[in-house]
PDB file of all heavy atoms in Angstrom:
ATOM      1  N   LEU C   1     -26.067 -27.219 -43.379  1.00 94.00           N
ATOM      2  CA  LEU C   1     -25.996 -28.363 -42.494  1.00 94.00           C
ATOM      3  C   LEU C   1     -27.274 -29.191 -42.586  1.00 94.00           C
ATOM      4  O   LEU C   1     -28.277 -28.736 -43.132  1.00 94.00           O
ATOM      5  CB  LEU C   1     -25.752 -27.893 -41.059  1.00 94.00           C
ATOM      6  CG  LEU C   1     -24.290 -27.680 -40.645  1.00 94.00           C
ATOM      7  CD1 LEU C   1     -23.565 -26.702 -41.553  1.00 94.00           C
ATOM      8  CD2 LEU C   1     -24.226 -27.183 -39.202  1.00 94.00           C
ATOM      9  N   PRO C   2     -27.263 -30.407 -42.046  1.00 92.00           N
ATOM     10  CA  PRO C   2     -28.448 -31.269 -42.165  1.00 92.00           C
ATOM     11  C   PRO C   2     -29.745 -30.636 -41.681  1.00 92.00           C
ATOM     12  O   PRO C   2     -30.791 -30.858 -42.302  1.00 92.00           O
ATOM     13  CB  PRO C   2     -28.075 -32.485 -41.318  1.00 92.00           C
ATOM     14  CG  PRO C   2     -26.595 -32.571 -41.449  1.00 92.00           C
ATOM     15  CD  PRO C   2     -26.126 -31.143 -41.460  1.00 92.00           C
ATOM     16  N   LEU C   3     -29.698 -29.851 -40.600  1.00 90.00           N
ATOM     17  CA  LEU C   3     -30.916 -29.249 -40.068  1.00 90.00           C
ATOM     18  C   LEU C   3     -31.202 -27.866 -40.624  1.00 90.00           C
ATOM     19  O   LEU C   3     -32.158 -27.215 -40.190  1.00 90.00           O
ATOM     20  CB  LEU C   3     -30.863 -29.206 -38.543  1.00 90.00           C
ATOM     21  CG  LEU C   3     -30.856 -30.570 -37.853  1.00 90.00           C
ATOM     22  CD1 LEU C   3     -30.849 -30.398 -36.343  1.00 90.00           C
ATOM     23  CD2 LEU C   3     -32.047 -31.412 -38.292  1.00 90.00           C
ATOM     24  N   GLY C   4     -30.387 -27.403 -41.568  1.00 93.00           N
ATOM     25  CA  GLY C   4     -30.713 -26.188 -42.284  1.00 93.00           C
ATOM     26  C   GLY C   4     -29.872 -24.961 -41.995  1.00 93.00           C
ATOM     27  O   GLY C   4     -30.075 -23.930 -42.653  1.00 93.00           O
ATOM     28  N   THR C   5     -28.964 -25.006 -41.034  1.00 95.00           N
ATOM     29  CA  THR C   5     -28.085 -23.874 -40.787  1.00 95.00           C
ATOM     30  C   THR C   5     -27.214 -23.621 -42.013  1.00 95.00           C
ATOM     31  O   THR C   5     -26.681 -24.558 -42.602  1.00 95.00           O
ATOM     32  CB  THR C   5     -27.196 -24.126 -39.568  1.00 95.00           C
ATOM     33  OG1 THR C   5     -28.021 -24.380 -38.429  1.00 95.00           O
ATOM     34  CG2 THR C   5     -26.309 -22.930 -39.276  1.00 95.00           C
ATOM     35  N   THR C   6     -27.074 -22.362 -42.400  1.00 97.00           N
ATOM     36  CA  THR C   6     -26.328 -22.010 -43.599  1.00 97.00           C
ATOM     37  C   THR C   6     -25.118 -21.147 -43.276  1.00 97.00           C
ATOM     38  O   THR C   6     -25.102 -20.400 -42.289  1.00 97.00           O
ATOM     39  CB  THR C   6     -27.216 -21.278 -44.608  1.00 97.00           C
ATOM     40  OG1 THR C   6     -27.756 -20.096 -44.003  1.00 97.00           O
ATOM     41  CG2 THR C   6     -28.348 -22.173 -45.077  1.00 97.00           C
ATOM     42  N   TYR C   7     -24.115 -21.237 -44.136  1.00 97.00           N
ATOM     43  CA  TYR C   7     -22.889 -20.458 -44.026  1.00 97.00           C
ATOM     44  C   TYR C   7     -22.498 -19.981 -45.410  1.00 97.00           C
ATOM     45  O   TYR C   7     -22.696 -20.679 -46.407  1.00 97.00           O
ATOM     46  CB  TYR C   7     -21.758 -21.298 -43.429  1.00 97.00           C
ATOM     47  CG  TYR C   7     -22.055 -21.822 -42.048  1.00 97.00           C
ATOM     48  CD1 TYR C   7     -22.646 -23.072 -41.879  1.00 97.00           C
ATOM     49  CD2 TYR C   7     -21.757 -21.064 -40.921  1.00 97.00           C
ATOM     50  CE1 TYR C   7     -22.929 -23.549 -40.607  1.00 97.00           C
ATOM     51  CE2 TYR C   7     -22.041 -21.540 -39.656  1.00 97.00           C
ATOM     52  CZ  TYR C   7     -22.624 -22.784 -39.502  1.00 97.00           C
ATOM     53  OH  TYR C   7     -22.907 -23.256 -38.240  1.00 97.00           O
ATOM     54  N   TYR C   8     -21.902 -18.782 -45.457  1.00 98.00           N
ATOM     55  CA  TYR C   8     -21.529 -18.183 -46.725  1.00 98.00           C
ATOM     56  C   TYR C   8     -20.156 -17.538 -46.644  1.00 98.00           C
ATOM     57  O   TYR C   8     -19.766 -16.999 -45.605  1.00 98.00           O
ATOM     58  CB  TYR C   8     -22.532 -17.106 -47.138  1.00 98.00           C
ATOM     59  CG  TYR C   8     -23.926 -17.621 -47.345  1.00 98.00           C
ATOM     60  CD1 TYR C   8     -24.857 -17.612 -46.316  1.00 98.00           C
ATOM     61  CD2 TYR C   8     -24.318 -18.122 -48.583  1.00 98.00           C
ATOM     62  CE1 TYR C   8     -26.142 -18.091 -46.505  1.00 98.00           C
ATOM     63  CE2 TYR C   8     -25.603 -18.601 -48.780  1.00 98.00           C
ATOM     64  CZ  TYR C   8     -26.508 -18.585 -47.740  1.00 98.00           C
ATOM     65  OH  TYR C   8     -27.788 -19.061 -47.944  1.00 98.00           O
ATOM     66  N   ALA C   9     -19.450 -17.578 -47.754  1.00 98.00           N
ATOM     67  CA  ALA C   9     -18.252 -16.769 -47.886  1.00 98.00           C
ATOM     68  C   ALA C   9     -18.642 -15.298 -47.890  1.00 98.00           C
ATOM     69  O   ALA C   9     -19.714 -14.928 -48.382  1.00 98.00           O
ATOM     70  CB  ALA C   9     -17.509 -17.121 -49.170  1.00 98.00           C
ATOM     71  N   ASP C  10     -17.774 -14.451 -47.351  1.00 98.00           N
ATOM     72  CA  ASP C  10     -18.074 -13.024 -47.300  1.00 98.00           C
ATOM     73  C   ASP C  10     -18.345 -12.445 -48.689  1.00 98.00           C
ATOM     74  O   ASP C  10     -19.153 -11.525 -48.835  1.00 98.00           O
ATOM     75  CB  ASP C  10     -16.926 -12.260 -46.647  1.00 98.00           C
ATOM     76  CG  ASP C  10     -16.828 -12.504 -45.156  1.00 98.00           C
ATOM     77  OD1 ASP C  10     -17.815 -12.973 -44.552  1.00 98.00           O
ATOM     78  OD2 ASP C  10     -15.760 -12.212 -44.587  1.00 98.00           O
ATOM     79  N   SER C  11     -17.689 -12.977 -49.687  1.00 97.00           N
ATOM     80  CA  SER C  11     -17.805 -12.449 -51.034  1.00 97.00           C
ATOM     81  C   SER C  11     -19.190 -12.648 -51.656  1.00 97.00           C
ATOM     82  O   SER C  11     -19.526 -11.976 -52.631  1.00 97.00           O
ATOM     83  CB  SER C  11     -16.745 -13.076 -51.944  1.00 97.00           C
ATOM     84  OG  SER C  11     -16.886 -14.484 -51.996  1.00 97.00           O
ATOM     85  N   VAL C  12     -19.994 -13.559 -51.095  1.00 98.00           N
ATOM     86  CA  VAL C  12     -21.299 -13.843 -51.681  1.00 98.00           C
ATOM     87  C   VAL C  12     -22.458 -13.565 -50.740  1.00 98.00           C
ATOM     88  O   VAL C  12     -23.626 -13.692 -51.150  1.00 98.00           O
ATOM     89  CB  VAL C  12     -21.391 -15.298 -52.196  1.00 98.00           C
ATOM     90  CG1 VAL C  12     -20.246 -15.603 -53.146  1.00 98.00           C
ATOM     91  CG2 VAL C  12     -21.413 -16.287 -51.035  1.00 98.00           C
ATOM     92  N   LYS C  13     -22.190 -13.168 -49.503  1.00 98.00           N
ATOM     93  CA  LYS C  13     -23.263 -12.886 -48.551  1.00 98.00           C
ATOM     94  C   LYS C  13     -24.187 -11.801 -49.080  1.00 98.00           C
ATOM     95  O   LYS C  13     -23.741 -10.785 -49.602  1.00 98.00           O
ATOM     96  CB  LYS C  13     -22.680 -12.453 -47.207  1.00 98.00           C
ATOM     97  CG  LYS C  13     -22.115 -13.582 -46.384  1.00 98.00           C
ATOM     98  CD  LYS C  13     -21.590 -13.080 -45.043  1.00 98.00           C
ATOM     99  CE  LYS C  13     -21.043 -14.223 -44.209  1.00 98.00           C
ATOM    100  NZ  LYS C  13     -20.456 -13.733 -42.926  1.00 98.00           N
ATOM    101  N   GLY C  14     -25.478 -12.040 -48.933  1.00 98.00           N
ATOM    102  CA  GLY C  14     -26.469 -11.099 -49.406  1.00 98.00           C
ATOM    103  C   GLY C  14     -26.841 -11.269 -50.858  1.00 98.00           C
ATOM    104  O   GLY C  14     -27.822 -10.666 -51.319  1.00 98.00           O
ATOM    105  N   ARG C  15     -26.082 -12.083 -51.598  1.00 98.00           N
ATOM    106  CA  ARG C  15     -26.352 -12.301 -53.015  1.00 98.00           C
ATOM    107  C   ARG C  15     -26.733 -13.745 -53.327  1.00 98.00           C
ATOM    108  O   ARG C  15     -27.563 -13.992 -54.196  1.00 98.00           O
ATOM    109  CB  ARG C  15     -25.143 -11.913 -53.858  1.00 98.00           C
ATOM    110  CG  ARG C  15     -24.732 -10.452 -53.713  1.00 98.00           C
ATOM    111  CD  ARG C  15     -23.654 -10.071 -54.725  1.00 98.00           C
ATOM    112  NE  ARG C  15     -22.428 -10.834 -54.531  1.00 98.00           N
ATOM    113  CZ  ARG C  15     -21.873 -11.626 -55.454  1.00 98.00           C
ATOM    114  NH1 ARG C  15     -22.449 -11.761 -56.644  1.00 98.00           N
ATOM    115  NH2 ARG C  15     -20.743 -12.266 -55.188  1.00 98.00           N
ATOM    116  N   PHE C  16     -26.106 -14.691 -52.637  1.00 98.00           N
ATOM    117  CA  PHE C  16     -26.351 -16.110 -52.884  1.00 98.00           C
ATOM    118  C   PHE C  16     -27.148 -16.706 -51.732  1.00 98.00           C
ATOM    119  O   PHE C  16     -27.001 -16.308 -50.577  1.00 98.00           O
ATOM    120  CB  PHE C  16     -25.037 -16.881 -52.996  1.00 98.00           C
ATOM    121  CG  PHE C  16     -24.203 -16.579 -54.210  1.00 98.00           C
ATOM    122  CD1 PHE C  16     -24.507 -15.538 -55.069  1.00 98.00           C
ATOM    123  CD2 PHE C  16     -23.096 -17.360 -54.478  1.00 98.00           C
ATOM    124  CE1 PHE C  16     -23.729 -15.261 -56.181  1.00 98.00           C
ATOM    125  CE2 PHE C  16     -22.309 -17.101 -55.587  1.00 98.00           C
ATOM    126  CZ  PHE C  16     -22.624 -16.053 -56.437  1.00 98.00           C
ATOM    127  N   THR C  17     -27.967 -17.699 -52.045  1.00 98.00           N
ATOM    128  CA  THR C  17     -28.733 -18.420 -51.046  1.00 98.00           C
ATOM    129  C   THR C  17     -28.630 -19.915 -51.310  1.00 98.00           C
ATOM    130  O   THR C  17     -28.936 -20.371 -52.413  1.00 98.00           O
ATOM    131  CB  THR C  17     -30.209 -18.003 -51.050  1.00 98.00           C
ATOM    132  OG1 THR C  17     -30.321 -16.599 -50.816  1.00 98.00           O
ATOM    133  CG2 THR C  17     -30.972 -18.749 -49.955  1.00 98.00           C
ATOM    134  N   ILE C  18     -28.200 -20.669 -50.308  1.00 98.00           N
ATOM    135  CA  ILE C  18     -28.155 -22.117 -50.419  1.00 98.00           C
ATOM    136  C   ILE C  18     -29.378 -22.697 -49.718  1.00 98.00           C
ATOM    137  O   ILE C  18     -29.806 -22.194 -48.679  1.00 98.00           O
ATOM    138  CB  ILE C  18     -26.846 -22.690 -49.829  1.00 98.00           C
ATOM    139  CG1 ILE C  18     -26.717 -24.186 -50.123  1.00 98.00           C
ATOM    140  CG2 ILE C  18     -26.739 -22.407 -48.338  1.00 98.00           C
ATOM    141  CD1 ILE C  18     -25.347 -24.766 -49.761  1.00 98.00           C
ATOM    142  N   SER C  19     -29.945 -23.734 -50.294  1.00 98.00           N
ATOM    143  CA  SER C  19     -31.094 -24.402 -49.706  1.00 98.00           C
ATOM    144  C   SER C  19     -31.051 -25.874 -50.069  1.00 98.00           C
ATOM    145  O   SER C  19     -30.279 -26.293 -50.940  1.00 98.00           O
ATOM    146  CB  SER C  19     -32.404 -23.758 -50.167  1.00 98.00           C
ATOM    147  OG  SER C  19     -32.548 -23.853 -51.573  1.00 98.00           O
ATOM    148  N   ARG C  20     -31.881 -26.663 -49.407  1.00 96.00           N
ATOM    149  CA  ARG C  20     -31.922 -28.090 -49.706  1.00 96.00           C
ATOM    150  C   ARG C  20     -33.344 -28.596 -49.632  1.00 96.00           C
ATOM    151  O   ARG C  20     -34.178 -28.086 -48.874  1.00 96.00           O
ATOM    152  CB  ARG C  20     -31.012 -28.885 -48.759  1.00 96.00           C
ATOM    153  CG  ARG C  20     -31.470 -28.905 -47.307  1.00 96.00           C
ATOM    154  CD  ARG C  20     -30.359 -29.419 -46.385  1.00 96.00           C
ATOM    155  NE  ARG C  20     -29.968 -30.778 -46.707  1.00 96.00           N
ATOM    156  CZ  ARG C  20     -28.806 -31.336 -46.365  1.00 96.00           C
ATOM    157  NH1 ARG C  20     -27.900 -30.611 -45.701  1.00 96.00           N
ATOM    158  NH2 ARG C  20     -28.539 -32.595 -46.694  1.00 96.00           N
ATOM    159  N   ASP C  21     -33.616 -29.619 -50.419  1.00 95.00           N
ATOM    160  CA  ASP C  21     -34.887 -30.320 -50.403  1.00 95.00           C
ATOM    161  C   ASP C  21     -34.548 -31.783 -50.189  1.00 95.00           C
ATOM    162  O   ASP C  21     -34.182 -32.487 -51.129  1.00 95.00           O
ATOM    163  CB  ASP C  21     -35.647 -30.101 -51.702  1.00 95.00           C
ATOM    164  CG  ASP C  21     -37.042 -30.691 -51.669  1.00 95.00           C
ATOM    165  OD1 ASP C  21     -37.296 -31.598 -50.856  1.00 95.00           O
ATOM    166  OD2 ASP C  21     -37.894 -30.241 -52.463  1.00 95.00           O
ATOM    167  N   ASN C  22     -34.656 -32.232 -48.951  1.00 92.00           N
ATOM    168  CA  ASN C  22     -34.257 -33.597 -48.626  1.00 92.00           C
ATOM    169  C   ASN C  22     -35.142 -34.642 -49.303  1.00 92.00           C
ATOM    170  O   ASN C  22     -34.679 -35.742 -49.603  1.00 92.00           O
ATOM    171  CB  ASN C  22     -34.269 -33.801 -47.114  1.00 92.00           C
ATOM    172  CG  ASN C  22     -33.152 -33.053 -46.413  1.00 92.00           C
ATOM    173  OD1 ASN C  22     -32.144 -32.694 -47.032  1.00 92.00           O
ATOM    174  ND2 ASN C  22     -33.323 -32.802 -45.128  1.00 92.00           N
ATOM    175  N   ALA C  23     -36.398 -34.303 -49.541  1.00 92.00           N
ATOM    176  CA  ALA C  23     -37.298 -35.231 -50.213  1.00 92.00           C
ATOM    177  C   ALA C  23     -36.860 -35.494 -51.643  1.00 92.00           C
ATOM    178  O   ALA C  23     -37.150 -36.557 -52.201  1.00 92.00           O
ATOM    179  CB  ALA C  23     -38.725 -34.702 -50.190  1.00 92.00           C
ATOM    180  N   LYS C  24     -36.157 -34.533 -52.252  1.00 95.00           N
ATOM    181  CA  LYS C  24     -35.679 -34.672 -53.621  1.00 95.00           C
ATOM    182  C   LYS C  24     -34.187 -34.968 -53.711  1.00 95.00           C
ATOM    183  O   LYS C  24     -33.646 -35.044 -54.815  1.00 95.00           O
ATOM    184  CB  LYS C  24     -35.986 -33.402 -54.413  1.00 95.00           C
ATOM    185  CG  LYS C  24     -37.464 -33.103 -54.563  1.00 95.00           C
ATOM    186  CD  LYS C  24     -37.686 -31.848 -55.391  1.00 95.00           C
ATOM    187  CE  LYS C  24     -39.161 -31.570 -55.577  1.00 95.00           C
ATOM    188  NZ  LYS C  24     -39.390 -30.334 -56.377  1.00 95.00           N
ATOM    189  N   ASN C  25     -33.525 -35.104 -52.568  1.00 95.00           N
ATOM    190  CA  ASN C  25     -32.074 -35.320 -52.547  1.00 95.00           C
ATOM    191  C   ASN C  25     -31.342 -34.263 -53.372  1.00 95.00           C
ATOM    192  O   ASN C  25     -30.425 -34.571 -54.143  1.00 95.00           O
ATOM    193  CB  ASN C  25     -31.723 -36.716 -53.072  1.00 95.00           C
ATOM    194  CG  ASN C  25     -31.796 -37.787 -52.004  1.00 95.00           C
ATOM    195  OD1 ASN C  25     -32.441 -37.624 -50.971  1.00 95.00           O
ATOM    196  ND2 ASN C  25     -31.126 -38.905 -52.250  1.00 95.00           N
ATOM    197  N   THR C  26     -31.731 -33.018 -53.187  1.00 96.00           N
ATOM    198  CA  THR C  26     -31.201 -31.940 -54.014  1.00 96.00           C
ATOM    199  C   THR C  26     -30.824 -30.732 -53.164  1.00 96.00           C
ATOM    200  O   THR C  26     -31.548 -30.371 -52.234  1.00 96.00           O
ATOM    201  CB  THR C  26     -32.220 -31.517 -55.082  1.00 96.00           C
ATOM    202  OG1 THR C  26     -32.538 -32.647 -55.906  1.00 96.00           O
ATOM    203  CG2 THR C  26     -31.665 -30.423 -55.968  1.00 96.00           C
ATOM    204  N   VAL C  27     -29.698 -30.119 -53.506  1.00 97.00           N
ATOM    205  CA  VAL C  27     -29.281 -28.862 -52.906  1.00 97.00           C
ATOM    206  C   VAL C  27     -29.217 -27.810 -54.012  1.00 97.00           C
ATOM    207  O   VAL C  27     -28.881 -28.129 -55.157  1.00 97.00           O
ATOM    208  CB  VAL C  27     -27.933 -28.996 -52.171  1.00 97.00           C
ATOM    209  CG1 VAL C  27     -26.805 -29.354 -53.129  1.00 97.00           C
ATOM    210  CG2 VAL C  27     -27.605 -27.729 -51.397  1.00 97.00           C
ATOM    211  N   TYR C  28     -29.548 -26.569 -53.672  1.00 98.00           N
ATOM    212  CA  TYR C  28     -29.617 -25.490 -54.639  1.00 98.00           C
ATOM    213  C   TYR C  28     -28.706 -24.344 -54.234  1.00 98.00           C
ATOM    214  O   TYR C  28     -28.416 -24.140 -53.057  1.00 98.00           O
ATOM    215  CB  TYR C  28     -31.040 -24.944 -54.749  1.00 98.00           C
ATOM    216  CG  TYR C  28     -32.079 -25.985 -55.060  1.00 98.00           C
ATOM    217  CD1 TYR C  28     -32.806 -26.592 -54.039  1.00 98.00           C
ATOM    218  CD2 TYR C  28     -32.343 -26.364 -56.369  1.00 98.00           C
ATOM    219  CE1 TYR C  28     -33.764 -27.552 -54.319  1.00 98.00           C
ATOM    220  CE2 TYR C  28     -33.301 -27.319 -56.654  1.00 98.00           C
ATOM    221  CZ  TYR C  28     -34.005 -27.911 -55.629  1.00 98.00           C
ATOM    222  OH  TYR C  28     -34.959 -28.862 -55.914  1.00 98.00           O
ATOM    223  N   LEU C  29     -28.286 -23.586 -55.211  1.00 98.00           N
ATOM    224  CA  LEU C  29     -27.596 -22.329 -54.969  1.00 98.00           C
ATOM    225  C   LEU C  29     -28.231 -21.266 -55.852  1.00 98.00           C
ATOM    226  O   LEU C  29     -28.030 -21.266 -57.069  1.00 98.00           O
ATOM    227  CB  LEU C  29     -26.097 -22.445 -55.265  1.00 98.00           C
ATOM    228  CG  LEU C  29     -25.261 -21.215 -54.909  1.00 98.00           C
ATOM    229  CD1 LEU C  29     -25.218 -21.018 -53.388  1.00 98.00           C
ATOM    230  CD2 LEU C  29     -23.848 -21.331 -55.465  1.00 98.00           C
TER     231      LEU C  29
END
């Protein structure tokens, strides 16, 4: 979400991490 709250599918919890860098207009997985 815009303020940083994250959600994951059960199949990837604990393995994948989503993040964002608003200064770079970029989201990562």
Side-chain angles (χ1 to χ4, degrees):
L1 273 56
L3 295 182
T5 302
T6 58
Y7 300 92
Y8 298 93
D10 288 342
S11 59
V12 306
K13 284 182 179 177
R15 300 188 298 121
F16 291 9
T17 302
I18 188 171
S19 61
R20 67 194 299 159
D21 186 338
N22 290 339
K24 297 181 178 179
N25 275 20
T26 301
V27 63
Y28 305 95
L29 186 68

